[in-house]
Amino acid sequence: MSHSSPLWTPSPERAAASGMNAFRAFCEARRGAAMADSAALQAWSLAEPDLFWDAVWDFFEVVGDKGGALIADGDRMPGARFFPEARLNFAENLLRPLPGIDGEADALVSICEDKAESRWSWHRLRAEVSRLQQAMRAAGIEVGDRVAGLMPNIPESIAVMLAATSLGAVWCSASPDFGPRGVLDRFGQIEPKLLVTVDGYWYAGKRIDLREKLAEVLPQLPTLTKLVIVPLIGSDLDPASLPGSTSLDAFTADFEPAELWFERLPFDHPLFILFSSGTTGAPKCIVHRAGGVLLQHLKEHGLHTDVKPGDRLFYFTTLGWMMWNWLVSGLARGATLLLFDGSPFHPSAPVLFDYAEREGMTHFGTSAKYIDALRKSGTRPAESHDLTKLRAMMSTGSPLSIEGFRFVYEGIKSDLHLASISGGTDIVSCFVLGDPTRPVYAGEIQGPGLGMAVEVWTDEGKPAPVGEKGELVCTRPFPAMPLGFFADESGAKYRAAYFERFPGVWCHGDFAETTEHGGLVIHGRSDATLNPGGVRIGTAEIYAQVETIPEVNEAICIGQENEGDVRVVLFVTLRNGAELTDALKDTIRRTIRTGASPRHVPAVIVAVSDIPRTKSGKIVELAVRDTVHGREVKNKEALANPAALDLYRDRPELQG
């Protein structure tokens, strides 16, 4: 990266008032030694991980019994155990009253695309969880049972998750737009006892009824003992028409709100099962531990994102994406969660900023693709909306381009902490993310998370020099490492997924580089990197250049096997009225050659009308690559638009 000037630097006052600074002072007092800045804090967090995570527990006043031991088998990866004697409950830490937060204040604000709006106070959230946990106990839900949600992003989803985890049940979820096969590929593996769903939902102005999908899915989930249906679209679905089903109101009708009850369990008790996107086979069922998720999310919200009690936190997500789990943990900081369900561009591009202005949003989370689409739509919220209270914007899902970084500051708000973040379903959190005390540079993630020993390694397993691309790895254990994969009793599949490349070191599968500022740049998934002439190239470097061309709407890039080598093939979707002329192809190649390198220039450029993506909006390079090579894409149900793959099959431009 070049010696560019920062796009944003926090004022001394803002940095001093941050949670990161308060935590640094807290740790200084405990150690009796000064730490000059967050970089020194990071170094200490890696040098003394037991004391660091102990400080995180105490700083955020985690509710539970910590026990005496801080780490057992701390040199094993996998195998290290944090707080091996502790007992706690995840839901208890999200629902506890916090000083200064009134029970009548908003805990959850929700809008759906049909303009249905609801507000739940902290009192109401606790009351609904109380009724649900009583109903679940009466329905026979016990410690370790799986409770599944096929739900949109609405308050009831959060209440059901909290009730389930309060009892020690394991929560797993999917979005209602998943097809029947996608639902069964996930829930069919983990044998849920209770399923909560809706009668339908709205998206892009369309009312979508779930009756047919439920009728197909339910007979293939034999472990279910109860189905609970939340009426959302007002369909005439009769819960009694489905075996073992009831409405949400009927499920909780016999129970009045009472004092909340929490089952305190070991730190490593299973909390969530999250599912990999599954486009190259059946989704992996990744089991996450309660204590690790709680500590990691408290750290990320309270320190890296600077979420304070009373803040209003938003992330555009569905229950099929880990960012929903991340968002919900904001309750542990006393934040109001702003929920949205529907299309982020319906009925018009600024709809999420209308929401931000109306609700006084302090933290706006979204995907890099949304920021790019907003930029290309010509929408400039800085000129049309009052975003006075907005302090931070988070971006994830794919690398945020340099143009995307600049647009945030030019088109959304100039004084804003823009935190590009990256981690994944695998750890339900982040390896690299923001730091509210440090400058933001275009195209760079600010740095590793505290306590995360993140490095970039060469193929030989050595740290890569600054500016050299390699594999993103984590060299030391951390509490949010998953317990493993569901039903992988020996742990063989888990070890093969992350520890096979470099024994004893987590290899995440991202192609990355470190920068002179101590930040990181993610160049895409390493299994999707291109190798023309044997040189590894990240697809994100190509996208960053193509997205600056006005005629191009979006792109997807693959390596095609050709005459004993690999050639770069670029597919583009075009803006309305644009055509892929020879002149436009020349512009694309010239832009890539100048902005990236001659090796990045595609050998073939093809116009398509759609780009396949997962339910969470990530483009699927591997699925396109397999289609181009005539190989079967094993799990099309993981895609939001599987029919788009047909556009890539048997293209004459790719013959010869």
Side-chain angles (χ1 to χ4, degrees), residues 113 202-207 343 346:
E113 197 183 89
W202 294 84
Y203 192 86
K206 296 178 181 177
R207 181 177 179 271
S343 166
H346 184 85

Side-chain angles (χ1 to χ4, degrees), residues 574-651:
L574 301 174
R575 305 288 292 275
N576 289 340
E579 294 183 16
L580 188 60
T581 61
D582 287 343
L584 180 54
K585 289 181 181 180
D586 288 344
T587 297
I588 292 171
R589 289 191 170 104
R590 185 172 60 252
T591 302
I592 294 171
R593 181 179 289 108
T594 304
S597 82
R599 290 194 181 94
H600 291 77
V601 176
V604 183
I605 305 174
V606 182
V608 290
S609 58
D610 198 8
I611 289 177
R613 60 188 69 249
T614 65
K615 302 288 186 180
S616 59
K618 298 178 183 178
I619 61 175
V620 285
E621 294 151 324
L622 297 184
V624 168
R625 188 178 71 189
D626 285 345
T627 301
V628 165
H629 288 101
R631 298 190 286 262
E632 180 188 1
V633 177
K634 295 180 181 177
N635 188 8
K636 293 181 181 178
E637 282 286 343
L639 300 179
N641 53 341
L645 286 175
D646 294 337
L647 303 171
Y648 300 80
R649 187 173 290 109
D650 301 325
R651 297 290 306 217

Side-chain angles (χ1 to χ4, degrees), residues 20 23 38-39 41-47 52-53 56 295-296 299-301 303-305 420-423 427 429-436 438 445-455 472-474 476-479 518-520:
M20 182 72 80
F23 180 71
S38 60
L41 182 60
Q42 168 73 359
W44 172 70
S45 75
L46 301 181
F52 166 73
W53 290 108
V56 171
L295 285 190
Q296 183 84 327
K299 179 199 73 176
E300 292 181 350
H301 284 295
L303 308 183
H304 290 278
T305 315
S420 180
I421 64 180
S422 182
I427 62 169
S429 57
C430 303
F431 280 114
V432 289
L433 67 169
D435 181 341
R438 290 175 52 194
I445 299 175
Q446 286 175 284
L450 294 173
M452 308 294 280
V454 173
E455 298 180 10
L472 184 78
V473 300
C474 190
R476 300 181 196 176
F478 52 96
L520 285 98

Side-chain angles (χ1 to χ4, degrees), residues 267-338:
F267 188 89
D268 284 351
H269 181 73
L271 172 72
F272 296 143
I273 297 175
L274 271 67
F275 307 97
S276 65
S277 59
T279 53
T280 54
K284 298 191 293 285
C285 303
I286 306 170
V287 184
H288 292 285
R289 61 192 89 204
V293 172
L294 177 64
L295 285 190
Q296 183 84 327
H297 287 186
L298 282 168
K299 179 199 73 176
E300 292 181 350
H301 284 295
L303 308 183
H304 290 278
T305 315
D306 203 27
V307 175
K308 304 177 187 298
D311 277 347
R312 299 174 83 79
L313 173 64
F314 168 80
Y315 220 103
F316 178 70
T317 183
T318 71
L319 271 72
W321 192 19
M322 58 144 285
M323 294 313 301
W324 182 83
N325 305 73
W326 190 90
L327 168 67
V328 175
S329 294
L331 293 171
R333 291 292 297 137
T336 297
L337 306 187
L338 304 180

